[in-house]
Amino acid sequence: MKHKISLLALAGCCAGLTLVASTSCKMQQTVGLRESGQSRLMDESFAGQKACDPEDHTRPFIIEWDATDMSSFESLTASDIVLVKYEGCKLRVLDECRNDSIRGSQGAYKPTEWTSGSLETLDIHNEGELYAKLPLGQASLGGRVSGGERFHMEYYVAGTTYASRDAVYRDDLASNPGCDDATHFVYGFNLGAFALGSANEINSEVGGSVYGFGAGGKHSKGRTAEKKGGDLGVCQAADATEVQGCKTPIRLNLRKIRDGANPEVEAMSAPDDSDSLSAAGVINAKLEMSGEARARFEAAQQKLVAGDGKGCLKELDAHDKLDPDHKTSDPKGGLGLVRAQCVMMSGKCDAGKVLARKSLEATATMQMGPEQLDKVVEAYGTQWCQGDSMSDRDQLLQALNQLQSAAFTTRKDVEFCEVQYAKIKKLAPKVKAKDSDDTQILNIEGSLFTTVPLCYERAGSCEKAWKVFPEVLPQRTKDGFANMEEEARTKATRSTFESLVRNCVGK
């Protein structure tokens, strides 16, 4: 079914062409006819005049970002709010406008809100429609459209991701020189897939999809799109792995940075004390919360999941003001772990662990000895701590756990495996076991033997897994192979490798 698209809803600037898009959007001023026979009057139209004004085009499609641009953007959104310089027809992502030490220091993106979605279409017949519907394509398509060429675009929005904060203030960015040029932040972005190509030989009135979405189109599903993001063909797939191809960022929702100071900056930056290092309230108390207080507490939990520690603390502080009878300053409240996790994520690891310990001591349903309590608190720290305040031990345990997760549960990329392995090699000599029960530290050698090659294998590189394998062999095994001839040693090592990393057999 062909869908009609509002010109205003589809208006975007030629900003999304690349992470650094350089485009001339000057309008022709001479009224008359073009060589193609089209009138120049549209150049004087509202759409033409406003084509490069960010005030009017805050939802640009990013149709010309290549795979590298897309992966860079997705990497940035995984760790912080994305800031951009957006002026005229130029959009540049400011990858230095963030704090590498503390993930989410400027906010984070909430889990994606997935929708059922439907196929939408755009048809560009002249320059007026290009400006009104897809002005960000002026750089690459403008000359062809002025020559009489038409274009057809199909896109599918599978879901939308929103930021955990609704505004960014200029003073929020003042301490980071990398933010000096920032004009907007990415408040949200649509995920899905799109395809665009010349329509001169396409009859877009026949219905169905030209580029492979669904089975109702009369044209070949193999038709090549000149520009595409994701794969329209998998947007209705049932398999979760396959449908990943329909989760590519295709359109941004930008908001202008506000001048001055954040009115809530004092609450967000307050040092942790006996009041701020507090619980969020008991479960029974949660049932008695006012609607707004409950909403604040639930918003805190969402921001915690999204990785926005400071945003979580702000919501918990707001909850305290709304529900003073169940202030989060009481570790006996029952939900102190929420506050503790947010404190850890905000970059204050030790302070968060102190609150976690007090909350567990006061509210744990089962009695725990001090050793068990320390292990539980350390596990929380391993999961939630961030920033330079982490001790060598906390960083080491975190890297070990992340590597184990990448080896057995959550698939990561090769770079992730390399970073965690390098961190472990650097920190392991500095961290000594506390006692004979400190098994995570005592068994690092055995842990690396399995997790490092399996991490690389799950990341798709048997070559990397094999290359690193001789290095992570336990010393006892190395000693046993040492007396062998080189050929026999290589064969024994390979046999051991393939018995462990079965998906790399023969590769």
Side-chain angles (χ1 to χ4, degrees):
M1 175 179 180
K2 184 177 179 182
H3 296 264
K4 295 183 179 179
I5 309 299
S6 165
L7 297 185
L8 292 178
L10 290 169
C13 189
C14 39
L17 302 179
T18 59
L19 287 182
V20 182
S22 177
T23 304
S24 170
C25 290
K26 295 181 180 179
M27 306 295 301
Q28 298 289 335
Q29 300 299 319
T30 304
V31 177
L33 295 178
R34 299 183 180 280
E35 293 180 4
S36 63
Q38 295 177 345
S39 172
R40 293 183 182 274
L41 289 174
M42 186 57 79
D43 292 343
E44 304 295 328
S45 70
F46 177 83
Q49 293 172 12
K50 296 294 184 180
C52 300
D53 186 353
E55 296 292 336
D56 296 291
H57 301 298
T58 57
R59 298 189 60 217
F61 283 96
I62 46 179
I63 66 166
E64 294 212 7
W65 283 9
D66 61 20
T68 300
D69 295 334
M70 288 294 183
S71 63
S72 296
F73 176 77
E74 291 178 291
S75 176
L76 291 172
T77 61
S79 61
D80 223 322
I81 295 294
V82 175
L83 279 295
V84 303
K85 180 180 180 181
Y86 185 42
E87 294 179 338
C89 284
K90 300 178 182 179
L91 182 144
R92 176 163 61 93
V93 172
L94 304 176
D95 56 1
E96 293 184 358
C97 185
R98 60 187 179 127
N99 186 338
D100 290 329
S101 298
I102 301 178
R103 179 176 178 269
S105 62
Q106 293 174 160
Y109 291 100
K110 302 174 185 176
T112 300
E113 298 176 12
W114 300 108
T115 60
S116 56
S118 61
L119 183 69
E120 306 286 350
T121 63
L122 281 175
D123 288 293
I124 307 296
H125 297 91
N126 53 52
E127 283 183 284
E129 290 190 352
L130 177 63
Y131 290 135
K133 298 179 179 181
L134 208 62
L136 73 170
Q138 165 63 13
S140 59
L141 305 179
R144 295 167 65 181
V145 172
S146 68
E149 193 168 2
R150 298 178 297 116
F151 288 89
H152 176 75
M153 175 174 164
E154 298 176 359
Y155 68 96
Y156 183 97
V157 175
T160 304
T161 300
Y162 293 104
S164 62
R165 59 189 300 178
D166 57 10
V168 173
Y169 290 81
R170 182 64 56 190
D171 285 6
D172 294 341
L173 312 175
S175 62
N176 187 345
C179 301
D180 288 349
D181 293 334
T183 61
H184 295 72
F185 77 101
V186 180
Y187 171 66
F189 51 94
N190 298 128
L191 299 174
F194 78 88
L196 177 145
S198 177
N200 281 16
E201 299 179 2
I202 296 174
N203 180 5
S204 60
E205 303 297 329
V206 298
S209 170
V210 173
Y211 298 114
F213 180 88
K218 295 183 180 180
H219 298 282
S220 170
K221 289 185 178 233
R223 189 174 193 90
T224 301
E226 295 184 36
K227 302 179 187 298
K228 63 181 296 185
D231 183 355
L232 284 169
V234 302
C235 286
Q236 291 186 319
D239 185 83
T241 301
E242 186 179 2
V243 83
Q244 286 296 118
C246 193
K247 295 181 179 180
T248 298
I250 61 173
R251 193 176 189 181
L252 307 182
N253 185 340
L254 303 177
R255 286 191 177 182
K256 193 173 181 179
I257 295 171
R258 299 181 183 180
D259 293 330
N262 188 333
E264 298 175 330
V265 68
E266 182 177 351
M268 293 176 68
S269 60
D272 288 310
D273 53 25
S274 59
D275 289 326
S276 63
L277 289 177
S278 56
V282 295
I283 294 177
N284 289 338
K286 181 182 177 183
L287 299 177
E288 301 170 14
M289 294 178 189
S290 69
E292 187 174 356
R294 184 182 300 109
R296 288 288 190 172
F297 182 77
E298 291 172 351
Q301 292 177 304
Q302 290 177 353
K303 291 187 177 182
L304 175 64
V305 173
D308 185 0
K310 289 186 177 180
C312 175
L313 293 177
K314 183 183 75 171
E315 297 292 348
L316 292 180
D317 290 341
H319 164 267
D320 285 357
K321 293 177 182 179
L322 292 166
D323 193 359
D325 292 335
H326 304 104
K327 285 180 67 68
T328 61
S329 59
D330 183 8
K332 298 179 182 179
L335 292 174
L337 289 177
V338 175
R339 178 73 151 192
Q341 291 162 5
C342 295
V343 171
M344 294 177 198
M345 182 166 283
S346 71
K348 298 179 180 179
C349 186
D350 290 340
K353 289 198 290 187
V354 168
L355 176 57
R357 177 180 55 78
K358 289 182 178 179
S359 299
L360 286 169
E361 286 175 332
T363 63
T365 56
M366 58 178 290
Q367 190 66 33
M368 289 188 288
E371 295 84 5
Q372 186 179 6
L373 186 62
D374 284 342
K375 288 184 178 180
V376 173
V377 170
E378 197 167 64
Y380 275 109
T382 297
Q383 181 177 2
W384 299 105
C385 282
Q386 293 187 109
D388 297 332
S389 66
M390 293 178 66
S391 67
D392 288 345
R393 179 181 175 86
D394 287 331
Q395 293 183 60
L396 176 60
L397 292 176
Q398 187 177 78
L400 285 167
N401 284 354
Q402 289 183 348
L403 192 62
Q404 183 175 32
S405 177
F408 298 107
T409 57
T410 304
R411 193 183 304 275
K412 298 292 185 178
D413 57 24
V414 168
E415 182 181 3
F416 179 90
C417 302
E418 290 176 341
V419 169
Q420 304 310 318
Y421 181 41
K423 187 181 295 185
I424 293 168
K425 288 194 292 183
K426 177 182 177 181
L427 294 171
K430 302 179 182 180
V431 179
K432 305 302 178 185
K434 292 181 177 179
D435 52 39
S436 59
D437 293 327
D438 196 1
T439 54
Q440 275 193 286
I441 302 300
L442 291 172
N443 296 336
I444 286 179
E445 184 184 64
S447 176
L448 295 181
F449 169 62
T450 55
T451 57
V452 174
L454 286 174
C455 182
Y456 283 121
E457 178 270 323
R458 285 177 61 83
S461 180
C462 286
E463 180 182 357
K464 287 278 188 179
W466 168 242
K467 184 176 180 180
V468 77
F469 189 70
E471 183 178 323
V472 298
L473 279 172
Q475 189 59 48
R476 183 173 58 183
T477 303
K478 291 180 182 178
D479 293 341
F481 290 168
N483 296 326
M484 295 181 179
E485 295 292 335
E486 182 175 351
E487 183 178 350
R489 182 167 61 249
T490 300
K491 185 176 181 180
T493 303
R494 186 71 195 186
S495 175
T496 305
F497 170 77
E498 293 186 346
S499 67
L500 175 67
V501 191
R502 297 185 180 277
N503 288 335
C504 290
V505 173
K507 297 181 182 179

